[in-house]
Amino acid sequence: MQDSAAILSDMNDRAREVFRRVVEGYLDTGDPVGSRTLTRSMTVSAATIRNVMSDLEHLGLIESPHVSAGRVPTETGLRMFVDGLLEVKALGEEERGLIDGARGEDGDVAGLMGRVSEALSGATRGASLVLAPKVEAPIKHIEFVSLAPDRALVVLVMADGRVENRVFVPPAGVTPSALREGANFLNAFAEGRTLGELRARTEREVAARRREIDALAAGLVEQGLAAWSEDAGGGSDDSGRLIVRGRANLLEEETDDLDRIRRLFDDLERKADIAEFLSLAEGGEGVRIFIGSENRLFSLSGSSLVVSPYMDADRNIVGAVGVIGPTRLNYGRIVPIVDYTARLVGEVVAAGGRKE
């Protein structure tokens, strides 16, 4: 099928207006829009409108959910509407006030994320998703402990006093002496470095000294550090990174398919899709809209996601904020809310948590 821009350009004014009114009526009420409804606001006959609707249905832009019912937009139609006909509204004073209130007085980034999630859910009356930036504290000391032939424990003592215990799978055949050697190797330069920095330093050291250390210890270092720095869902330093609020709002909207919505939130609560959520936002600056099956993370629920990344002081994408809801989201109203929220979060993160 030809792309949305080509279809829109080929439409005459009447067809474009009927299509726009069908979509806007559906987004406003959630109900199919019939020809009689449109005749109340258009100076054409119901028969003419039905003919135009038939053409739009043939193009795959609208469909009739029931016999003799009105029409609703398809996912393709919604995408075309969002890309070519959506009128983004100005941010309302009420919504601005809710989001501004989330900034708080202390400038604490960790507290900000929870407040922003609550405010975003309240302002949009949807379910909000906030991916907080990953904060890595410097390390003070590392120890490896053998638990079983195929399981080992790493104890991380952080410079701020926290102690974290993480279980991982060591290379086959690793011995207690190799564990000790691996810990000694790391502790020689671990203090004061984050896990990410330690991994980079370790890779350089291993490359330079591979012949000097036991092969099993080298494998332990490489595998263990790779797991800590890349496992987006399993490490305790990721706890709370994905903040979800407003679940009840979505469940109220999607009463016809609660099982799929519950599965969606079960997945989110396990934080198995943190990396996927961030990847959805990383296509560039600004708000992105994913509708139904376009939305890889929530495709099973048939939901839409409006998401925007935010950046740190170095203009690196470090997190994202978004709203998930039914495909009949009020996109024109929600887009500026998500955009404003992402900008506010980015300002606070870029300032290093200090209130400007």
Side-chain angles (χ1 to χ4, degrees), residues 62-83:
I62 62 175
E63 60 186 357
S64 179
H66 308 290
V67 177
S68 300
R71 272 37 170 220
V72 299
T74 62
E75 284 187 12
T76 301
L78 280 174
R79 169 49 60 192
M80 191 175 80
F81 174 82
V82 165
D83 290 345

Side-chain angles (χ1 to χ4, degrees), residues 124-141:
T124 62
R125 296 185 288 277
S128 67
L129 306 176
V130 174
L131 183 61
K134 184 174 181 177
V135 179
E136 290 188 332
I139 298 167
K140 183 176 181 180
H141 188 74

Side-chain angles (χ1 to χ4, degrees), residues 177-353:
S177 62
L179 287 171
R180 288 193 297 273
E181 187 174 355
N184 292 336
F185 173 76
L186 291 173
N187 283 318
F189 48 84
E191 187 169 2
R193 287 185 167 88
T194 65
L195 284 175
E197 293 168 343
L198 181 57
R199 181 188 181 202
R201 172 66 185 272
T202 300
E203 290 174 346
R204 293 194 298 270
E205 290 288 334
V206 169
R209 299 178 56 192
R210 185 173 294 276
R211 294 181 182 179
E212 301 176 27
I213 62 175
D214 181 87
L216 287 175
L220 171 69
V221 169
E222 292 177 341
Q223 182 170 334
L225 282 179
W228 305 336
S229 61
E230 293 178 357
D231 183 2
S236 58
D237 60 315
D238 278 303
S239 177
R241 284 196 70 211
L242 186 61
I243 304 169
V244 182
R245 295 289 187 273
R247 174 175 179 167
N249 292 337
L250 188 56
L251 292 179
E252 289 172 4
E253 291 282 356
E254 293 293 305
T255 54
D256 293 337
D257 205 349
L258 292 184
D259 286 342
R260 287 195 298 177
I261 300 298
R262 289 192 181 102
R263 286 199 301 271
L264 181 157
F265 277 96
D266 287 343
D267 286 343
L268 288 175
E269 287 166 1
R270 288 195 298 270
K271 298 180 177 64
D273 295 305
I274 288 178
E276 185 72 12
F277 177 56
L278 184 57
S279 73
L280 289 174
E282 286 182 333
E285 295 187 45
V287 179
R288 303 185 70 195
I289 299 173
F290 298 87
I291 299 171
S293 60
E294 299 174 350
N295 183 346
R296 292 174 294 164
L297 183 54
F298 306 123
S299 59
L300 289 179
S301 71
S303 303
S304 286
L305 173 69
V306 181
V307 60
S308 179
Y310 60 85
M311 302 179 183
D312 61 15
D314 297 321
R315 303 296 293 169
N316 296 314
I317 293 176
V318 294
V321 300
V323 172
I324 182 174
T327 54
R328 66 175 191 85
L329 278 173
N330 187 335
Y331 300 100
R333 176 176 172 270
I334 289 177
V335 164
I337 296 175
V338 170
D339 180 59
Y340 186 75
T341 303
R343 293 177 186 276
L344 180 145
V345 174
E347 288 174 5
V348 176
V349 171

